[in-house]
């Protein structure tokens, strides 16, 4: 009788070997994934998709990569070796070995140092992708973040990290991942902070839970001062050697064009002292040499005509925009426009000068309003609302007739002034005195309770006051109903009912804003175009809903009032309907002017009229990103390199 053998294996393993009997089947039963691991895998796919696209646009996945050499810098800049471990890697181009050496560190904490343009950010991107590819179950998910938006003097690191994840990955369950310690921050740009903030940032990264969190930090060597990152290994990028620079240029220049490049190759091969040899030690400048002089119409011999390093660097930086903003067609599906080099330089120079002035790195659409004074936005918006309201009221008085045409025309100015003051004040209050305007979809995905109702209900006396107010308004309403039926006594004062109706209306309006906020799709990445589209939906949908609610509520209130006063339709009902519609328009405007999208559109219109920005700003920034002038970090753009931003700002202000 044949013996049936059935083997089962439960657990994790790279290989499964069956011994004893080789005739029976073997089955592998994978353990069920926890909720945290399922969330981590979805998050890892989102991060990998985002940064693989970005690496392709930055040219980091080029078939001819330029490797960066690293040397150990633990003795000069690191913590004790017994605490941090030691990472030694001859070439960062071997990302598999580099990632394996990082994962072997005791605390998996690493600092990448280097000079400006040494390739720190590029290696951070490639290392993030490699760690995502090699990730095992229950390993933290590496996510690349820019430190430019963190103020360690005012904000705890974990709070900032949660906020950045909410902005860059709005559909990710950030709190679940953070609580399970399944996030590995890859922090780029410590050197972009002021010296005081850099020292405070290192202190915050060494405190509490942040002091044990696996992370990677990049910084310029000269700016890594004020402390050390505890339990972190430290490596420093080495300058590109002339041999590596020569091999790279020979590989990226087509063989048919080697003849005009021979003088350049001779300088690098002979290691002849000069600006070209010095500039070629930077991966950034080598990339610019390829971009500016790699085309057929460019003359590489011009690289030898400069006598100063700074002059050659400025020549390469200045030549980037003319070399990329050409009349060539764009990518498939892209709305390619011929911007013109002069206009592109003017627009990017304005953005670069503004970022330099504000000591910021990111170019998110919802911060464009900061380039227009809040009082200017209030004045222009309020004036437009005043004029529009006066025109509407004038049309009412002329079209409806009796009894409204007998009202003094000063009512027009009064009504327009009230509308202009309220709408203009609301527009100016948003963002005034340093208070930031942030899109609701980037702040949180939860539905917060209305502020007025929540403030009352959080305190016992507030709940008692609300109940008393409700009873007062109800009694007032009953008295009005009795008066409208019998007319045997003076009409009661409607202030309690109107005031409670205003409170109920404000609560309903806030609930409506929350309910109509544009939902975030599960597969939606936080790129700038989608973030702007979400901001637009989050502004227009609630504004239209509030306008409709205000219209219906006003019409209902005026109809009750008109019925109680026995007003004829020809005398009052048409006018009340028109006023109700206008009240709805006022409510929609009040809701719209406080949104980040309205502030963005106002600032964009202001700068487009003055020629500082293009009319199609989103398309222009998307093209600049695709052409390698900008890079994308979550829902915001950044300049490709701080040196490029500084040069554009210098040319504009100089």
């Amino acid at each position: 009788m044949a013996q049936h053998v059935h083997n089962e294996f439960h657990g994790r393993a790279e290989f499964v070997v069956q011994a004893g009997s080789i005739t029976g089947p073997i089955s592998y039963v994978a353990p069920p994934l926890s909720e945290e691991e399922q969330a981590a895998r979805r998050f890892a796919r989102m991060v990998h998709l985002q940064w693989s696209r970005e690496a392709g646009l930055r040219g980091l996945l080029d078939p001819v990569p330029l490797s960066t050499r690293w040397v150990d810098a633990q003795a000069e800049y690191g913590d004790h070796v017994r605490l941090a471990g030691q990472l030694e890697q001859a070439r960062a181009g071997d990302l598999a070995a580099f990632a394996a050496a990082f994962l072997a560190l005791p605390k998996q904490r690493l600092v990448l140092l280097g000079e400006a343009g040494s390739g720190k950010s590029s290696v951070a991107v490639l290392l993030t992708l490699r760690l995502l590819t090699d990730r095992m179950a229950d390993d933290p998910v590496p996510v690349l973040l820019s430190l430019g938006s963190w103020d360690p003097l005012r904000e705890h690191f974990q709070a900032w990290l949660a906020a950045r994840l909410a902005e860059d990955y709005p559909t990710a369950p950030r709190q679940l991942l953070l609580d399970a310690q399944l996030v590995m921050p890859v922090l780029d740009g410590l050197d972009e902070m002021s010296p005081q903030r850099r020292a405070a940032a290192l202190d915050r990264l060494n405190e509490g839970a942040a002091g044990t969190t696996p992370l990677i930090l990049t910084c310029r060597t000269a700016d890594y001062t004020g402390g050390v990152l505890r339990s972190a290994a430290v490596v420093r990028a080495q300058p590109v050697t002339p041999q590596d620079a020569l091999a790279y240029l020979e590989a990226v220049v087509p063989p048919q064009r080697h003849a005009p490049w021979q003088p350049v190759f001779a300088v690098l091969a002979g290691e002849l002292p000069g600006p070209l040899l010095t500039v070629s030690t930077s991966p950034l400048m080598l990339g610019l040499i390829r971009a500016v002089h790699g085309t057929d119409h460019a003359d590489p011999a011009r690289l030898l005509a400069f006598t100063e390093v700074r002059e050659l660097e400025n020549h390469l930086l200045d030549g980037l925009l003319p070399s990329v903003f050409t009349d060539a067609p764009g990518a498939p599906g892209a709305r390619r426009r011929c911007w013109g080099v002069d206009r592109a330089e003017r627009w990017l120079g304005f953005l670069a000068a503004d970022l330099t002035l504000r000591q910021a790195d990111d170019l998110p659409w919802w911060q464009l309003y900061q380039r227009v004074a809040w009082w200017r936005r209030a004045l222009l918006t309020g004036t437009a609302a005043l004029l529009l309201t006066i025109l509407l009221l004038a049309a009412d008085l002329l079209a409806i007739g009796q009894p409204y045409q007998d009202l003094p025309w000063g009512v027009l100015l009064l009504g327009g002034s009230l509308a202009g003051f309220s709408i203009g004040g609301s527009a100016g209050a948003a963002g005034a005195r340093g208070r930031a305007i942030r899109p609701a979809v980037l702040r949180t995905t939860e539905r917060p309770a209305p502020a007025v109702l929540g403030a009352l209900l959080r305190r016992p006396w507030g709940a008692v006051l609300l109940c008393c107010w409700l009873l007062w308004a109800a009694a007032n309403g009953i008295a009005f109903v009795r008066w409208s039926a019998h007319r045997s006594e003076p009409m009661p004062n409607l202030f309690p009912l109107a005031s409670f109706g205003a409170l109920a209306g404000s609560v309903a309006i806030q609930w409506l804003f929350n309910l109509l906020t544009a939902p975030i799709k599960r597969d939606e990445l936080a790129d700038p175009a989608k973030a702007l589209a979400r901001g637009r939906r989050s502004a227009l949908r609630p504004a239209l809903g509030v306008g409709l609610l205000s219209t219906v509520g006003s019409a209902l209130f005026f109809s009750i009032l008109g019925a109680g006063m026995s007003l004829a339709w020809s005398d009052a009902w048409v006018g009340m309907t028109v006023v109700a519609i206008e009240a709805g328009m006022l409510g929609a405007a009040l809701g719209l002017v406080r949104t980040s999208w309205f502030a963005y559109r106002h600032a964009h219109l202001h700068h487009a009229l003055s020629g500082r920005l293009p009319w199609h700003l989103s398309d222009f920034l998307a093209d600049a990103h695709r052409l390698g002038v900008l890079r994308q970090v979550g829902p915001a753009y950044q300049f490709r390199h701080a040196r490029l931003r500084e040069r554009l700002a210098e040319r504009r202000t100089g």
Side-chain angles (χ1 to χ4, degrees):
M1 180 177 180
Q3 182 179 6
H4 296 282
V5 180
H6 182 72
N7 302 294
E8 289 190 0
F9 171 77
H10 299 265
R12 293 172 54 188
E14 294 185 3
F15 300 97
V16 177
V17 179
Q18 176 175 293
S21 172
I22 59 174
T23 58
I26 183 172
S27 62
Y28 169 72
V29 180
L33 297 176
S34 63
E35 181 183 1
E36 292 81 2
E37 177 57 24
Q38 293 179 16
R41 293 193 176 189
R42 291 194 300 269
F43 182 48
R45 286 194 292 269
M46 294 168 58
V47 178
H48 191 276
L49 177 61
Q50 175 191 357
W51 288 107
S52 58
R53 291 175 179 174
E54 184 65 18
L57 289 173
R58 295 190 192 183
L60 303 181
L61 305 180
D62 196 291
V64 188
L66 177 64
S67 300
T68 304
R69 299 181 184 272
W70 300 89
V71 295
D72 176 64
Q74 195 74 20
E76 299 95 332
Y77 303 99
D79 202 358
H80 301 287
V81 176
R82 60 184 177 85
L83 298 176
Q86 200 166 13
L87 188 148
E88 296 183 6
Q89 180 67 28
R91 295 176 68 88
D94 188 1
L95 284 176
F98 197 76
F102 166 74
L103 294 175
L105 294 174
K107 300 295 184 180
Q108 294 183 2
R109 291 164 70 89
L110 176 66
V111 178
L112 301 177
L113 300 179
E115 303 305 323
S118 60
K120 303 180 300 297
S121 298
S122 299
V123 172
V125 173
L126 295 175
L127 185 57
T128 298
L129 291 175
R130 186 67 200 190
L131 292 174
L132 287 169
T133 302
D134 297 342
R135 181 183 177 271
M136 302 291 291
D138 299 327
D139 288 344
V141 179
V143 53
L144 185 60
L145 303 169
S146 175
L147 281 172
S149 62
W150 181 31
D151 185 357
L153 298 174
R154 298 182 178 181
E155 192 174 16
H156 193 274
F157 174 70
Q158 295 295 337
W160 172 82
L161 179 59
R164 281 307 306 265
L165 292 178
E167 291 183 2
D168 294 1
Y169 308 96
T171 62
R174 57 190 180 281
Q175 201 56 51
L176 176 64
L177 296 171
L178 291 174
D179 292 342
Q181 298 182 348
L182 288 176
V183 177
M184 178 194 297
V186 182
L187 307 175
D188 186 28
L190 179 67
D191 49 273
E192 299 297 333
M193 294 181 170
S194 64
Q196 185 181 11
R197 288 188 177 184
R198 282 199 298 269
L202 289 174
D203 291 339
R204 298 293 180 270
L205 293 175
N206 291 329
E207 294 175 352
T212 59
T213 300
L215 60 85
I216 300 173
L217 181 67
T218 72
C219 184
R220 294 183 185 181
T221 306
D223 294 325
Y224 190 65
T225 58
V228 298
L229 185 65
R230 300 305 305 270
S231 303
V234 182
V235 294
R236 184 176 69 248
Q238 290 292 92
V240 178
T241 64
Q243 295 81 6
D244 287 342
L246 176 60
Y248 173 74
L249 291 177
E250 286 180 337
V252 298
V253 174
Q256 297 79 7
R257 297 200 66 246
H258 272 208
W261 281 84
Q262 289 304 320
V264 175
F265 294 161
V267 170
L268 296 177
E271 300 185 18
L272 302 177
L276 177 60
L277 190 67
T278 304
V279 166
S280 65
T281 61
S282 168
L284 170 66
M285 292 300 162
L286 276 177
L288 290 177
I289 290 175
R290 177 184 181 183
V292 175
H293 291 277
T295 57
D296 293 338
H297 60 273
D299 182 13
R302 289 195 59 194
L303 297 171
L304 305 177
F306 296 92
T307 59
E308 298 291 337
V309 173
R310 189 75 173 183
E311 293 178 355
L312 178 54
E313 290 180 346
N314 289 341
H315 162 73
L316 294 174
L317 293 168
D318 295 343
L320 177 62
L321 297 187
S323 66
V324 297
F325 280 99
T326 62
D327 296 333
R335 291 189 294 176
R336 184 73 171 91
R337 304 177 187 272
C338 183
W339 307 106
V341 176
D342 294 337
R343 291 185 297 172
E345 288 183 349
R346 182 172 70 250
W347 298 331
L348 291 172
F350 167 73
L351 295 174
D354 180 76
L355 289 178
T356 303
L357 180 64
R358 296 190 294 109
Q359 296 183 346
D361 298 321
D362 294 346
L363 283 169
W365 64 267
W366 62 89
Q367 289 183 3
L368 187 65
Y369 78 95
Q370 295 178 352
R371 299 165 179 85
V372 178
W374 66 269
W375 60 266
R376 191 187 301 271
R377 183 169 61 253
L379 179 62
L380 295 179
T381 307
T383 302
L386 184 148
L387 296 176
L388 180 61
T389 305
I390 289 178
L391 290 176
L392 290 175
L393 291 178
D396 293 344
L397 296 182
L398 294 175
I400 296 174
Q402 291 287 347
Y404 298 100
Q405 66 181 10
D406 296 333
L407 293 175
W409 284 84
V411 173
L412 297 178
L413 183 60
L414 177 61
S417 300
L418 291 175
F421 180 80
S422 58
I423 294 178
S426 297
R433 298 178 182 177
R435 291 177 295 180
I437 306 176
R438 300 186 68 78
V441 294
L442 295 183
R443 283 197 301 266
T444 178
T445 55
E446 290 81 16
R447 305 294 186 188
V452 177
L453 184 62
L456 288 174
L457 295 180
R458 276 195 295 268
R459 297 172 177 83
W461 63 264
V464 173
L465 177 62
L466 187 63
C467 291
C468 294
W469 199 355
L470 175 60
L471 293 175
W472 188 25
N476 184 255
I478 294 173
F480 176 74
V481 172
R482 290 178 177 177
W483 173 85
S484 63
H486 303 288
R487 305 292 179 89
S488 59
E489 56 187 30
M491 186 178 69
N493 185 8
L494 297 179
F495 172 76
L497 184 61
S499 60
F500 189 83
L503 174 64
S506 65
V507 172
I509 286 173
Q510 191 160 358
W511 272 113
L512 193 62
F513 262 92
N514 293 336
L515 291 175
L516 294 180
T517 297
I520 301 173
K521 299 178 181 179
R522 296 296 302 176
D523 59 344
E524 214 169 9
L525 282 176
D527 62 56
K530 292 180 179 178
L532 178 58
R534 286 198 300 269
R536 180 175 61 250
R537 295 196 303 268
S538 299
L540 294 180
R541 288 177 57 181
L544 294 176
V546 168
L548 179 62
L549 179 64
S550 300
T551 301
V552 174
S554 301
L556 181 62
F557 175 78
F558 287 135
S559 64
I560 295 174
L561 183 63
M565 299 176 65
S566 300
L567 295 178
W569 174 271
S570 60
D571 292 336
W573 290 80
V574 174
M576 291 179 181
T577 302
V578 174
V579 172
I581 295 175
E582 293 171 355
M585 296 172 60
L586 177 62
L590 283 171
L592 184 63
V593 296
R594 294 186 63 88
T595 63
S596 56
W597 181 80
F598 175 83
Y600 160 76
R601 281 304 178 192
H602 181 276
H604 178 212
L605 177 63
H606 174 78
H607 291 306
L609 287 173
S610 61
R612 289 188 287 263
L613 287 177
W615 288 102
H616 302 281
L617 179 59
S618 298
D619 293 342
F620 172 71
L621 295 178
D623 259 356
H625 171 234
R626 183 182 60 82
L627 296 173
V629 179
L630 301 178
R631 62 188 182 187
Q632 179 187 325
V633 181
Y637 289 118
Q638 294 179 349
F639 279 92
R640 174 179 176 178
H641 195 273
R643 184 72 180 86
L644 175 61
R645 184 194 67 205
E646 294 168 0
R647 178 57 181 169
L648 288 172
E650 177 185 342
R651 294 189 63 185
R652 177 179 176 82
T653 57

